[in-house]
């Protein structure tokens, strides 16, 4: 194993690594725009320049192979002055419109400007203008004036998502990132990753555009329930201390955006566009009112009614949600597993226009916890009729066709979102959703990931996990 | 001193480029000799012995470039002839392509034999029309005559030449951008390491040589590497094709033996300056080499070391003679417009720097110059020095600092008086 010296400090490297990789692995800071650990080396931004001791010039760290005894300086005077001059060039035609830029606060250009330059522009020339708000796709808009042409987005579509949707057109300082006519970015289900990849505010998510300053937001680790992959994500929502009374209360407890949480075991640093749109799943109209025969009742009254039904049933059947967490499934099995014959059902199936399955992330099973449900319960095939002798049916979660309810059966429904069928149930108990509780999902490959609550639960809604103990009859 | 000729050995006529006339001059004799009497190692040894250096501008020893390629590893490797002659002031390869295309083809096949290359490429400048037609015609003739193809001259050696036309980019004359362009990608230069001789075209070891460099191989095989090394000076073996333009009486392409005096070349061979004007300066080897004043160049010879000591280089052999009365500010403006236009835009210092240089010089020429602009031009040039992916950033820097060093006074005058020191007409000497 070669040993190299960074700023005089000896560090172990592996053969074939670059100086940048070694530096990052050992906590040294070398600025970079174009370099990304999961993409090929472009070497075009030049900001990662370092100096090899004894040489009178700078070289880029991202493309410098390690060699035993290599001595690298990351902050020598020559490196600092080079970086400072280079930062002048990065901002030469950059509009410096941080005040209205979504990236402000997490922008590498901003950070590096303060860290390595900090002085006003030396240019006296008028700025060169370029396209603003170029529609790359229905989801992404591009501000060419802010672009530093690091080509991370281009390399992503060629190397990771393989849609080959982006390329560079024109030449020199009028080079533009553009979508290819025959491979539109709209068809790339991973396109939003380029918004995260963009080191500056050039690529902007239209769903997050001008929605919030990032410093008002905080991320909560969570798991995308969109398919059996179970990608780990961060759900960004307004910080508690920045809650504003002037806003509609929903805005204080809404999903502002979703970003991937780097997890090499599951999804790496990427997620698909469905994972970005968790608001479309979790912010549907909520069912928050307990019902008995369609009439609003207190939550406690509904639980009592359900307990009575369970106590009196002869042949109860439960259809368990595969959107339930490992803890909820276990709580059900422990409290009611002996009382009910239980089957698990698919809450969601693919919708029209959605990519069903590919060899990257997206899985055909559009439910997050099928693996854990399958380990505990047999599967309820929706094509087969339910047992006619069932006299009590407990339906947990969505996706059940109520026409299948046996004629003699009473029904208890546990649901989270508004559905007309709830009124026809004997008892309807509203339960919390993923963003209101903590738990774990087991993905298709058996990897267990945790999610944490983002928002408080309403008092009118039950946590399924504790509900089952209350429903247990002696 | 006598001026040896290795390439321009025949009178150019309407048919001198054809296979029949080329054969009548002894053409393809070197190929026969190499294929029938020599091993690839012997050919390489002759090239090494000749000491020939690249003619594209960097003067890298050809033998050393070839030495990195290890034939017989069972995997393909490639040879590319760089005919993307885009350096302003340079038009020497064009002469070879137009008038001796078979010389290039013969030399490529010999080189392919030495390097055990199955497929060789010629990347020809897109704007070259006649040279392309001549080359394509020669290629057809050579295939028909069995000098190319699956079984060359019945020896069993196989080599195909693919001619690839460029799309009009200056940067594609840079070796790594050239092969990236051949691969069908955007003509961006590549980062080193890896060198092209390690991982080049289609990720395989590749040799890229200039057309003129390659064209010398036929002569080297014919007469031996030692004979070649005796031409010219010991450190600069061989001859150079020099294309001269500018305010000169007889512009054109000349073959000059290394060590030949510049003064004699300009004042005798080229017939001196137009209207007997004074020689203000010379850009010796394409605009990317530093300009030399007339006084400096008159005492120099065609010798790399001597030119380097004078702060310039022979570059690609594209000489531009500049007469007294030429406004150097406007000359720099033209040059920077070129660099700005041709920057590929891949890496930051060149992409942003070229535009900045161009805008500053435009402003100076507009009469809006500021006293600090000269320092700014210098600092942007320095920033590009050795910090870009390819050499274009450095080249533009050399060009800028070269002119500023030698003619700073003109810039100061222009900025102060908001107009050129010269009235736009070339100064005529008083009739004696």
């Amino acid at each position: 194993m070669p040993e190299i010296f960074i700023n005089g400090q000896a560090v172990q490297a592996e053969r074939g690594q670059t100086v940048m990789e070694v530096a990052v692995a050992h906590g040294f800071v070398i600025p970079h725009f174009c370099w990304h650990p999961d993409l090929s080396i472009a070497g075009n931004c030049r900001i990662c320049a370092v100096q090899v001791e004894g040489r009178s010039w700078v070289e880029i760290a991202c493309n410098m192979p390690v060699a035993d005894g290599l001595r690298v300086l990351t902050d020598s005077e020559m490196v600092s002055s080079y970086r400072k001059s280079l930062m002048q060039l990065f901002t030469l035609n950059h509009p410096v419109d941080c005040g209205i830029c979504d990236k402000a606060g997490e922008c590498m250009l901003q950070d590096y400007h303060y860290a390595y330059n900090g002085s006003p522009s030396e240019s006296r020339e008028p700025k060169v203008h370029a396209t603003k708000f170029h529609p790359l796709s229905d989801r992404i808009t591009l501000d060419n004036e802010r672009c530093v042409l690091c080509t991370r987005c281009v390399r992503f579509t060629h190397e990771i998502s393989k849609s080959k949707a982006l390329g560079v057109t024109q030449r020199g300082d009028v080079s533009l990132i553009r979508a290819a006519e025959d491979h539109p970015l709209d068809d790339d289900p991973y396109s939003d990753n380029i918004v995260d990849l963009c080191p500056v505010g050039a690529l902007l998510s239209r769903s997050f555009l001008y929605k919030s300053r990032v410093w008002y937001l905080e991320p909560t680790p969570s798991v995308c329930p969109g398919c059996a992959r179970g990608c780990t994500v961060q759900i960004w929502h307004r910080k508690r201390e920045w809650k504003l009374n002037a806003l509609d209360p929903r805005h204080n407890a809404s999903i502002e955006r979703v970003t991937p949480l780097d997890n090499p075991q599951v999804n790496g640093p990427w997620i698909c566009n469905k994972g970005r749109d968790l608001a479309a799943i979790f912010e549907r109209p909520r069912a928050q009112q307990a019902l008995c025969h369609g009439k609003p009742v207190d939550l406690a009254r509904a639980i009592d009614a359900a307990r009575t039904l369970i106590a009196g049933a002869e042949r109860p059947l439960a259809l368990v949600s595969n959107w339930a967490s490992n803890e909820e499934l276990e709580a059900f099995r422990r409290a009611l597993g002996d009382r009910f014959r239980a089957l698990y059902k698919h809450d969601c199936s693919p919708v029209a226009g959605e990519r069903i399955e590919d060899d990257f992330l997206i899985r055909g099973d559009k439910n997050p916890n099928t693996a854990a449900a399958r380990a505990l319960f047999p599967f309820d095939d929706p094509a087969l009729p339910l047992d006619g002798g069932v006299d009590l049916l407990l339906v947990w979660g969505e996706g059940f066709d109520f026409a299948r309810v046996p004629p003699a059966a009473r029904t208890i429904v546990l649901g989270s979102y508004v559905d007309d069928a709830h009124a026809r149930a004997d008892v309807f108990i509203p339960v919390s959703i993923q963003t209101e509780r903590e738990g774990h999902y087991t993905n298709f490959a058996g990897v267990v990931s945790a999610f944490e609550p983002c928002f408080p639960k309403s008092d009118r809604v039950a946590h399924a996990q504790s509900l089952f103990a209350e429903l247990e009859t002696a | 001193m006598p001026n040896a000729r290795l390439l321009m050995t025949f009178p150019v006529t309407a048919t001198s480029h054809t296979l029949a006339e080329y054969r009548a001059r002894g053409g393809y004799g070197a190929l026969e000799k190499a294929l029938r009497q020599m091993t690839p190692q012997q050919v390489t040894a002759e090239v090494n012995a000749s000491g020939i250096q690249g003619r594209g501008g960097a003067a890298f020893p050809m033998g050393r470039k070839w030495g990195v390629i290890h034939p017989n590893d069972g995997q393909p490797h490639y040879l590319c002839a760089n005919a993307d002659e885009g350096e302003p002031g340079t038009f020497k390869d064009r002469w070879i392509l137009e008038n001796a295309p078979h010389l290039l083809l013969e030399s490529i096949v010999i080189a392919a034999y030495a390097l055990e290359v199955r497929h060789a490429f010629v990347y020809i400048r897109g704007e070259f029309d006649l040279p392309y037609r001549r080359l394509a015609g020669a290629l057809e003739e050579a295939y028909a005559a069995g000098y190319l193809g699956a079984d060359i001259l019945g020896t069993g050696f196989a080599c195909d030449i693919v001619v690839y036309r460029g799309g009009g980019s200056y940067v594609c004359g840079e070796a790594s951008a050239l092969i990236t362009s051949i691969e069908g990608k955007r003509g961006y230069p590549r980062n080193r390491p890896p060198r092209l001789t390690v991982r080049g075209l289609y990720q395989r070891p590749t040799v890229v040589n200039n057309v003129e460099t390659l064209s010398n191989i036929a002569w080297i095989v014919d007469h031996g590497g030692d004979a070649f090394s005796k031409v010219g000076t010991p450190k600069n073996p061989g001859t150079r094709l020099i294309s001269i333009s500018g305010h000169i009486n007889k512009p054109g392409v000349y073959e000059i033996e290394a060590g030949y005096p510049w003064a004699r070349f300009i004042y005798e061979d080229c017939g001196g300056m137009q209207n007997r004007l004074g020689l203000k300066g010379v850009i010796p080897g394409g605009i990317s080499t530093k300009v030399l004043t007339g006084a400096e160049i008159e005492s120099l010879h065609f010798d790399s070391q001597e030119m380097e000591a004078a702060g310039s280089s022979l570059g690609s052999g594209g000489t531009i003679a500049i007469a007294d009365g030429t406004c150097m500010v406007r000359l720099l403006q033209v040059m920077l417009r070129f660099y700005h236009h041709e920057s590929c835009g891949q890496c930051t210092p060149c992409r942003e720097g070229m535009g900045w240089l161009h805008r500053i010089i435009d402003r100076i020429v507009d009469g809006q110059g500021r006293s600090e602009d000269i320092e700014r031009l210098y600092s942007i040039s320095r920033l590009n020095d050795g910090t870009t992916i390819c050499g274009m950033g450095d080249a533009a820097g050399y060009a800028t600092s070269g002119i500023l060093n030698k003619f700073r006074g003109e810039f100061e005058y222009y900025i102060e008086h908001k107009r050129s020191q010269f009235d736009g007409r070339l100064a005529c000497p008083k009739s004696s």
Side-chain angles (χ1 to χ4, degrees), chain A residues 30-35 42-49 60 62 79-98 107-114 116-123 127-128 143-152 155 173 198-202, chain B residues 345-356 359 380 383-384 387-389:
Chain A
I30 299 179
H32 53 270
F33 288 111
C34 68
W35 182 80
N44 59 30
C45 74
R46 317 307 283 185
I47 194 74
C48 70
I60 54 169
C62 69
V79 172
S80 303
S81 88
Y82 176 71
R83 273 183 199 153
K84 187 172 167 129
S85 316
L86 205 54
M87 287 312 295
Q88 286 281 341
L89 292 182
F90 275 114
T91 48
L92 187 68
N93 292 313
H94 186 283
V96 202
D97 53 351
C98 306
C107 171
M108 291 162 77
L109 186 64
Q110 225 178 15
D111 294 348
Y112 293 163
H113 174 77
Y114 288 114
Y116 303 118
N117 181 12
S119 39
S121 178
E122 290 166 0
S123 169
K127 301 236 177 199
V128 176
D143 186 325
N144 282 112
E145 291 187 346
R146 295 179 190 152
C147 178
V148 294
L149 287 164
C150 68
T151 68
R152 275 184 179 191
R155 283 174 284 145
D173 58 359
C198 185
V200 295
Chain B
Q346 185 181 198
C347 57
T348 314
C350 172
R351 178 182 69 235
E352 302 296 340
M354 294 306 128
W356 199 359
R359 285 189 287 278
I380 303 169
L383 183 61
N384 269 286
T387 66
T388 47
I389 294 175

Side-chain angles (χ1 to χ4, degrees), chain B residues 116-199:
Chain B
E116 299 183 19
V117 164
R118 177 68 180 79
H119 293 278
F121 295 80
V122 180
Y123 188 94
I124 186 166
R125 182 176 180 189
E127 293 90 332
F128 276 176
D129 181 42
L130 180 62
Y132 172 73
R133 283 186 282 127
R134 290 268 169 93
L135 183 67
L139 204 62
E140 234 169 77
E141 287 179 318
Y143 267 108
Y147 294 124
L148 278 171
D151 182 16
I152 296 173
L153 297 173
T155 60
F157 175 68
C159 176
D160 282 304
I161 295 180
V162 181
V163 176
Y164 192 99
R165 293 188 84 173
S169 161
Y170 172 64
V171 171
C172 284
E174 198 271 346
S176 64
L178 182 147
I179 63 168
T180 310
S181 176
I182 291 181
E183 287 176 359
K185 298 175 188 150
R186 203 175 155 75
Y188 274 164
R190 296 184 189 171
N191 283 288
R192 276 79 154 195
R195 300 242 148 232
L196 298 185
T197 41
V198 177
R199 212 188 302 154

Side-chain angles (χ1 to χ4, degrees), chain A residues 233-249:
Chain A
V233 296
Q234 289 181 315
I235 294 181
W236 293 75
H237 49 86
R238 216 168 165 84
K239 281 179 187 165
R240 194 174 291 274
E241 59 268 37
W242 280 107
K243 290 212 161 144
L244 290 180
N245 294 336
L247 285 180
D248 183 324

Side-chain angles (χ1 to χ4, degrees), chain B residues 172-254:
Chain B
C172 284
E174 198 271 346
S176 64
L178 182 147
I179 63 168
T180 310
S181 176
I182 291 181
E183 287 176 359
K185 298 175 188 150
R186 203 175 155 75
Y188 274 164
R190 296 184 189 171
N191 283 288
R192 276 79 154 195
R195 300 242 148 232
L196 298 185
T197 41
V198 177
R199 212 188 302 154
L201 186 60
Y202 305 121
Q203 300 296 309
R204 294 296 307 159
T206 304
V207 169
V208 182
N209 279 135
N210 178 263
V211 162
E212 186 194 342
T213 328
L214 276 172
S215 298
N216 279 302
I217 291 179
W219 196 94
I220 291 171
V221 167
D222 248 342
H223 300 85
D226 282 338
F228 187 88
S229 68
K230 292 198 178 73
V231 182
T233 64
K235 285 190 173 168
N236 302 273
T239 61
R240 298 288 308 246
L241 287 186
I242 302 294
S243 54
I244 184 161
S245 56
H247 308 132
I248 195 96
N249 272 327
K250 291 196 275 179
V253 183
Y254 295 78

Side-chain angles (χ1 to χ4, degrees), chain A residues 4-9 19 23 28-31 47-61 64 69-80 82-83:
Chain A
I4 72 167
F5 297 85
I6 301 179
N7 298 338
Q9 190 182 327
V19 170
F28 292 93
V29 176
I30 299 179
I47 194 74
C48 70
V50 294
Q51 188 184 0
V52 175
E53 275 180 50
R55 292 188 192 164
S56 60
W57 63 92
V58 295
E59 291 156 87
I60 54 169
M64 189 192 290
L70 185 72
R71 303 184 74 91
V72 173
L73 299 173
T74 66
D75 283 305
S76 70
E77 203 183 317
M78 180 184 291
V79 172
S80 303
Y82 176 71
R83 273 183 199 153

Side-chain angles (χ1 to χ4, degrees), chain B residues 34-83:
Chain B
L35 292 190
R36 295 195 198 285
Q37 298 165 26
M38 297 169 80
T39 63
Q41 291 74 29
Q42 283 171 322
V43 177
T44 313
E46 292 297 334
V47 170
N48 268 325
S50 74
I52 183 171
Q53 295 157 0
R55 307 298 202 224
F60 192 80
M62 193 179 192
R64 252 176 54 206
K65 213 182 234 184
W66 283 23
V68 189
I69 301 273
H70 302 290
N72 286 329
D73 71 345
Q75 295 284 325
H77 37 271
Y78 300 104
L79 171 71
C80 298
N82 185 348

Side-chain angles (χ1 to χ4, degrees), chain A residues 260-272:
Chain A
L261 185 61
D262 195 345
N263 184 347
Q265 272 187 294
V266 180
N267 53 316
W270 323 115
I271 56 170
C272 72

